[in-house]
Amino acid sequence: SARENEGGGHNRVLGPHFLWKRNDRDRLLGQLLISSTENPVRPDLHPQSGGQTFDGHAYRFVFTRDSKRYDIWAATTGYSPGFRADNGFVAQTGFRRVGLWPGLRFYPKRFFSYVRPYTGLEHDAGFEGGETLRTGAYQGFEFQGKWGSNGWMTAGHVTERVGSTLLTRDQLGFNLRRAPLRWVPAHQE
């Protein structure tokens, strides 16, 4: 993608994206990006619009395994401090993230047709210094059931850097849905 600014300056991002399906269960997808940015010389609009240049890179790799009885989702992502994607949706740079989310799969034949208990671990670190920015440990389950019902519940323990302090919180999230009547479809997100 490219964005050319009025009055000079630009943001250009280039890179490949790939998907490799090793077999019916395993997939590896990834993306490698490089960016080149030059701010316009417009201090009347913003004090940092003085023609500064930035170069950066970003990456994302995701491995998934989907079998009948279990699944695995593992990923790593990184955005260097100089990376910018003015045409995209990159809210933060200067960090690396790794995550692992394995789950089991059950197919009961009563009220629930599918139940998946899972656990998750995530760690975010500064791109250059490696300081911990956020860690999370999660336990939860998701389900599908009769009458168009489905949902999930997750409990997590999260530690997050705010300034120079690491703050810890416990959290609980859930979502329950059901189709009200057979002839009224359920809303899908």
Side-chain angles (χ1 to χ4, degrees):
S1 81
R3 177 176 283 189
E4 305 298 321
N5 299 318
E6 234 179 87
H10 64 266
N11 174 246
R12 299 176 186 131
V13 180
L14 175 70
H17 179 95
F18 67 88
L19 171 62
W20 177 48
K21 293 182 179 180
R22 187 175 147 235
N23 52 42
D24 289 344
R25 298 180 317 177
D26 300 334
R27 295 182 334 153
L28 178 65
L29 64 92
Q31 185 174 36
L32 300 168
L33 299 172
I34 58 170
S35 73
S36 173
T37 304
E38 180 180 333
N39 284 342
V41 181
R42 294 291 310 267
D44 57 313
L45 296 177
H46 194 277
Q48 291 183 344
S49 293
Q52 300 89 337
T53 60
F54 308 94
D55 292 321
H57 65 279
Y59 61 86
R60 181 170 189 243
F61 298 101
V62 177
F63 169 78
T64 61
R65 170 171 279 179
D66 290 314
S67 71
K68 184 172 180 170
R69 295 290 176 199
Y70 72 95
D71 57 68
I72 299 170
W73 185 91
T76 183
T77 305
Y79 297 95
S80 71
F83 180 79
R84 280 197 20 203
D86 291 354
N87 288 333
F89 300 97
V90 178
Q92 179 182 357
T93 62
F95 75 97
R96 299 174 196 265
R97 172 176 290 158
V98 294
L100 176 65
W101 292 81
L104 298 174
R105 295 177 174 190
F106 300 98
Y107 304 92
K109 301 216 186 274
R110 299 196 190 270
F111 178 80
F112 295 108
S113 58
Y114 172 74
V115 177
R116 178 184 177 261
Y118 61 84
T119 190
L121 300 170
E122 290 182 331
H123 179 76
D124 293 4
F127 196 87
E128 293 173 342
E131 71 278 2
T132 296
L133 301 175
R134 189 180 69 79
T135 60
Y138 308 91
Q139 292 286 315
F141 69 92
E142 58 184 89
F143 72 90
Q144 292 177 359
K146 290 189 179 199
W147 310 299
S149 63
N150 63 67
W152 56 265
M153 179 179 280
T154 299
H157 182 77
V158 178
T159 301
E160 194 164 11
R161 181 174 298 281
V162 178
S164 61
T165 305
L166 288 174
L167 301 176
T168 300
R169 72 177 184 275
D170 293 319
Q171 60 190 35
L172 179 65
F174 64 92
N175 183 343
L176 302 172
R177 292 188 287 189
R178 181 183 176 278
L181 300 168
R182 285 188 171 184
W183 51 273
V184 177
H187 171 70
Q188 297 295 318
E189 293 179 19

